[in-house]
Amino acid sequence: SIDMLMSSEKEEDPDVIPEDSSLLTLRIRKKALERREETIIVDRACRQETLTYEMESHATGKRPDNPTDLIEEGELLLTLNIFYPVIFQKHKDHKPYQTVLVLGSQKLTELRDSISCVSDLQIGGEFSSQPDQAPEHISKDLYKSAFFYFEGIFYNDKRYPECRDLSRTIIEWSESHDRGYENLQSLKMEDYVFNDLSLKIGFPYLYCHQGNCEHIIIITDIRLIHHDDCLDRNLYPLLVKKHWLCTRKCFVCKMYTARWVTNRDSLAPEDPCFFCDVCFRMLHYDAEGNKLGEFLAYPYVDPGIFN
Amino acid sequence: MSAVPGLREDCEELLGAFQQADTVRFERFAELWRERRFHTIFYGRIRALERNKLAKKTLELAQQYFFPPYSFQIRVGALYLLYGLYNAQLCQPKQKIRIALKDWPEIQKFQQDLLDSQHYDAAYIFMRLRLARAFHFTAMPKLLTYRTKKKIEENYFKEEFKDPSNRVNSLITNDVLEELMNIHDHYQKMKCVISADKSQPDKALSLIKDDFVVSLKDITLEHQEWQQNRMKLLRNAKVTPEAENKKKEETLLESEGSERANALARIKYKSYSAVVEVSRSRRHRQVQLESSESGSSCGKSPSRSKKASRTPQPARRGEMQVAEETVTRHIGMPVITEEDSGE
């Protein structure tokens, strides 16, 4: 009966703003709507908006098939903003970031595995002479070290024997002179879960991998898990928001995403120049596969590859 | 996040009307809500993503009124408002109300107050919200976003909704009074012990007023009553329709701070306008008073009285007249008025 007091009696269409409203909010909104109707020809959600909405809400309410994967009450849910390392001029006011939801009981390594950065996929080396032999090994497999920096402690990834302690240089540097940083420690990433850490909300922390690819991490929210959240443990860390980066297209066909970049290319109009695979081979190699002209070619991975 | 235009005004208008009604019953609030058809606040062709954001911002705005320093009535009104907005939102699944960890003890105290004062409808509404799982239990009250703000929004508290900030009361609390009583008694006993007559302290030792604790309590009670009456007057003054004497209202609505500022300004004005009349031997070099106020005519210092004042400008004259009138309307607080001496 309490609910009845709130809603109105007759059927109403929530899309129509009532004419004689006493609410200032509605009057303002009505004017904005009318303006929109005049100026916009087709008024529907663009694909970026659909993507954002889908990402935010695709996991709400999900339950796992396996009951052991159910998240219990009292679990903490952290919201992290992980900033991209790209630096473009157009981003100087709003640096692009992805938002990830992480459970308190998850290990730091799980977060590390879920961060997708374009520098992980880079392939090093110049391959103008042997385009077909571009190796399959991406940087992610070659340089496995990474660390997180939270509150004065470096958490290094030591799961594989190739992983090195990247933070050692920093610790040695801070200890060499009295630079005003209190003792920085170095610990193993795989031994800790988020519940063990003491964190500040809104304070920038660091994730470093590949030796010099650094991402700023900011924690925006910590809250208890809720009935309406996704309760399937396997889906966490969950990506809820991603920045859409426009991919660079091939210079020739302007259709496919660039896969090769050339420098000092006598056949290309600009330096550097981007090509998709097909156009690259057609332009730079003849039917037998011989190299035409002088150039340096590198495999290129576009930052927008995760769109 | 940028604010929803017009939303703050609408909420404050509703809460203001609820405060005017001077009750905490839910039926009254529901009437006010239905009058304004507040549930339509989410209407208008809004797509899903925008709808979620709008609901979140609305709930965040409404929950600000739920905590101290707002008065009890406003907090109950905010509870009803939250209930209404939570149920009226069109998002599926519904956006939740964020409550920070540090605020939970206050809310529990608030709920206990409600139960103690038998406002069972408000307590029921709160239980309904809890059962509907309408709350997110967060570490911090505001969800952070990372866009550089064009201007920093300041924390804004509507003056009238606040409980009158009772600095005197917070200093002289019941505990302090009790302790004072104890110390006083102890002191009296000590005096008795060291004086000749064991039942009474020596006359020579009576250095303080015996009943000062009681009179202190009386004074603070008086002050509190005065403050409450003043708040009522301020509120009533706002409600009466804009009549002819706008100036009257304006001076009434001045808070304590600006009264004091005005008084100081008047004193300064008096002191600067009092010009010493030079001796007769230097009559040719009378001091001229230059006033920085616009429109005033500089002239020689005329009369002998020390309280010589320039002809005040029309505005100030009006103000001074009004200042005299305010003496009768304010209770007890002295107002410095200037004598209106002509030139």
Side-chain angles (χ1 to χ4, degrees):
Chain A
S1 69
I2 302 275
D3 254 317
M4 283 299 113
L5 289 171
M6 283 295 160
S7 39
S8 68
E9 287 76 28
K10 46 193 196 305
E11 277 304 308
E12 274 184 1
D13 184 11
D15 281 344
V16 173
I17 298 185
E19 277 301 327
D20 52 349
S21 180
S22 59
L23 299 172
L24 183 60
T25 324
L26 283 182
R27 286 202 292 269
I28 298 179
R29 200 180 291 157
K30 195 159 189 261
K31 271 197 256 180
L33 260 183
E34 278 163 14
R35 241 197 336 260
R36 218 166 82 186
E37 262 168 40
E38 284 167 27
T39 51
I40 300 182
I41 306 174
V42 179
D43 195 7
R44 60 182 163 85
C46 64
R47 54 190 182 146
Q48 263 88 348
E49 192 181 320
T50 328
L51 173 72
T52 324
Y53 177 66
E54 276 304 311
M55 290 204 67
E56 255 181 39
S57 54
H58 76 283
T60 42
K62 282 224 175 102
R63 299 288 181 269
D65 300 322
N66 191 349
T68 50
D69 289 335
L70 191 69
I71 300 175
E72 283 132 23
E73 265 185 56
E75 182 78 55
L76 283 176
L77 190 70
L78 290 98
T79 317
L80 308 174
N81 280 0
I82 303 171
F83 287 78
Y84 291 11
V86 295
I87 304 182
F88 292 133
Q89 266 300 356
K90 65 180 176 179
H91 289 151
K92 63 177 182 242
D93 286 326
H94 319 295
K95 200 152 162 48
Y97 59 90
Q98 42 176 294
T99 310
V100 169
L101 295 178
V102 143
L103 296 173
S105 59
Q106 286 192 304
K107 291 200 260 195
L108 295 180
T109 44
E110 292 179 60
L111 175 66
R112 193 242 154 147
D113 293 334
S114 75
I115 298 180
S116 46
C117 172
V118 69
S119 59
D120 277 337
L121 307 170
Q122 301 286 1
I123 304 171
E126 204 270 315
F127 295 106
S128 55
S129 327
Q130 57 278 15
D132 298 322
Q133 290 165 27
E136 294 303 309
H137 300 298
I138 54 177
S139 304
K140 190 167 188 169
D141 302 327
L142 291 174
Y143 310 114
K144 291 211 183 74
S145 343
F147 70 81
F148 282 107
Y149 172 75
F150 291 120
E151 291 292 314
I153 304 177
F154 291 93
Y155 297 91
N156 286 282
D157 192 356
K158 286 282 176 55
R159 288 176 288 176
Y160 310 100
E162 303 97 45
C163 298
R164 293 191 291 135
D165 186 358
L166 297 172
S167 59
R168 202 151 44 121
T169 0
I170 305 179
I171 297 181
E172 282 168 5
W173 167 84
S174 82
E175 283 170 359
S176 60
H177 301 295
D178 180 22
R179 296 182 200 266
Y181 295 103
E182 286 111 35
N183 43 343
L184 302 169
Q185 298 172 29
S186 169
L187 299 168
K188 282 206 220 167
M189 198 196 280
E190 53 269 22
D191 293 339
Y192 289 88
V193 292
F194 277 97
N195 278 333
D196 300 332
L197 308 173
S198 52
L199 301 164
K200 292 190 211 162
I201 296 192
F203 190 83
Y205 296 116
L206 194 68
Y207 167 62
C208 179
H209 65 136
Q210 300 288 322
N212 64 354
C213 182
E214 294 172 343
H215 301 249
I216 295 187
I217 298 189
I218 299 186
I219 306 185
T220 49
D221 186 28
I222 304 180
R223 63 175 174 83
L224 289 174
I225 200 94
H226 191 272
H227 180 261
D228 283 341
D229 292 327
C230 168
L231 294 181
D232 186 354
R233 193 176 278 279
N234 294 326
L235 292 175
Y236 285 95
L238 181 69
L239 190 65
V240 292
K241 179 172 178 343
K242 188 160 64 176
H243 189 95
W244 175 288
L245 286 166
C246 289
T247 58
R248 262 196 249 266
K249 302 288 188 291
C250 167
F251 188 81
V252 178
C253 59
K254 307 267 201 297
M255 264 196 340
Y256 293 105
T257 312
R259 294 271 311 278
W260 289 92
V261 62
T262 58
N263 289 107
R264 301 210 287 234
D265 194 348
S266 45
L267 301 165
E270 55 186 27
D271 193 320
C273 194
F274 297 92
F275 296 97
C276 68
D277 206 36
V278 174
C279 299
F280 176 68
R281 286 172 205 277
M282 274 179 23
L283 178 61
H284 294 95
Y285 302 92
D286 61 16
E288 282 85 44
N290 299 322
K291 182 169 155 180
L292 306 168
E294 279 305 309
F295 59 94
L296 302 166
Y298 306 92
Y300 174 73
V301 182
D302 194 271
I305 199 168
F306 295 113
N307 281 352
Chain B
M1 300 191 202
S2 56
V4 179
L7 189 62
R8 184 183 276 280
E9 284 80 18
D10 286 331
C11 286
E12 282 179 354
E13 199 261 314
L14 179 59
L15 285 176
F18 186 64
Q19 196 183 33
Q20 282 293 316
D22 217 13
T23 167
V24 288
R25 296 277 75 83
F26 181 68
E27 289 93 23
R28 190 79 189 92
F29 184 84
E31 273 171 35
L32 295 170
W33 173 285
R34 269 199 304 265
E35 254 173 58
R36 291 164 182 70
R37 300 179 70 226
F38 216 79
H39 67 285
T40 57
I41 205 157
F42 293 111
Y43 282 13
R45 265 196 334 256
I46 313 179
R47 288 192 293 261
L49 183 66
E50 179 81 32
R51 231 186 2 238
N52 282 353
K53 235 176 23 172
L54 175 73
K56 233 187 257 196
K57 286 189 206 170
T58 318
L59 288 172
E60 194 184 310
L61 180 72
Q63 68 117 338
Q64 282 173 18
Y65 295 104
F66 191 38
F67 299 114
Y70 289 109
S71 63
F72 182 76
Q73 203 185 10
I74 294 295
R75 291 176 72 181
V76 177
L79 173 64
Y80 296 151
L81 183 65
L82 279 172
Y83 180 70
L85 287 173
Y86 181 77
N87 285 322
Q89 63 175 301
L90 306 164
C91 316
Q92 248 337 305
K94 293 201 187 287
Q95 295 293 323
K96 312 285 185 283
I97 306 170
R98 292 175 59 94
I99 311 270
L101 189 64
K102 63 176 167 75
D103 294 325
W104 265 110
E106 279 165 18
I107 296 190
Q108 283 172 328
K109 214 164 40 145
F110 182 64
Q111 196 193 7
Q112 200 51 45
D113 282 342
L114 286 178
L115 288 173
D116 291 337
S117 31
Q118 301 190 337
H119 295 307
Y120 292 126
D121 50 359
Y124 177 70
I125 298 274
F126 183 67
M127 280 318 288
R128 279 289 289 256
L129 278 176
R130 287 292 302 267
L131 283 175
R133 300 187 173 103
F135 295 111
H136 263 337
F137 303 97
T138 72
M140 289 287 132
K142 265 186 117 147
L143 187 60
L144 303 174
T145 50
Y146 283 94
R147 306 179 84 84
T148 51
K149 287 210 236 266
K150 301 286 168 66
K151 53 175 179 153
I152 312 286
E153 294 167 15
E154 288 194 351
N155 221 348
Y156 161 81
F157 282 131
K158 197 157 158 81
E159 268 301 318
E160 285 138 19
F161 286 176
K162 262 185 5 185
D163 243 347
S165 59
N166 221 335
R167 284 194 279 263
V168 177
N169 252 20
S170 58
L171 186 61
I172 317 249
T173 58
N174 276 336
D175 294 339
V176 171
L177 280 176
E178 231 181 86
E179 232 182 279
L180 280 174
M181 272 311 283
N182 286 340
I183 296 178
H184 187 66
D185 284 337
H186 200 66
Y187 178 63
Q188 298 287 67
K189 286 207 195 77
M190 287 303 290
K191 282 204 283 193
C192 291
V193 165
I194 62 174
S195 36
D197 181 4
K198 288 299 171 194
S199 61
Q200 254 203 3
D202 266 341
K203 282 291 184 255
L205 287 176
S206 57
L207 296 163
I208 58 167
K209 275 199 254 201
D210 281 334
D211 54 352
F212 88 99
V213 181
V214 181
S215 48
L216 185 62
K217 188 166 64 88
D218 287 336
I219 294 176
T220 48
L221 273 175
E222 236 183 79
H223 172 88
Q224 198 178 17
E225 271 174 28
W226 169 81
Q227 212 175 22
Q228 278 173 356
N229 288 338
R230 199 163 155 275
M231 288 297 291
K232 270 212 198 92
L233 260 182
L234 281 177
R235 240 185 285 147
N236 289 342
K238 267 227 160 116
V239 170
T240 55
E242 306 335 68
E244 332 73 38
N245 224 344
K246 250 208 157 103
K247 285 225 183 78
K248 225 189 254 189
E249 278 185 40
E250 275 170 15
T251 42
L252 269 181
L253 293 177
E254 282 167 10
S255 54
E256 290 173 25
S258 59
E259 264 183 36
R260 197 164 162 272
N262 273 345
L264 278 177
R266 272 185 234 123
I267 296 176
K268 276 200 190 139
Y269 181 73
K270 263 200 298 192
S271 59
Y272 284 132
S273 50
V275 172
V276 174
E277 206 187 294
V278 295
S279 63
R280 293 176 60 177
S281 57
R282 308 202 80 200
R283 227 176 338 173
H284 57 284
R285 292 185 61 136
Q286 287 278 11
V287 172
Q288 286 201 345
L289 178 65
E290 284 200 358
S291 165
S292 60
E293 290 173 22
S294 59
S296 70
S297 49
C298 292
K300 298 207 188 113
S301 153
S303 58
R304 287 186 173 268
S305 81
K306 277 292 168 210
K307 288 216 213 110
S309 54
R310 307 274 96 203
T311 312
Q313 285 101 37
R316 290 194 68 100
R317 165 163 268 147
E319 200 186 332
M320 285 197 297
Q321 276 178 348
V322 173
E324 284 171 18
E325 286 179 41
T326 57
V327 170
T328 51
R329 297 195 62 162
H330 276 265
I331 306 171
M333 189 78 162
V335 175
I336 306 174
T337 52
E338 267 190 11
E339 258 127 330
D340 206 63
S341 55
E343 188 151 357

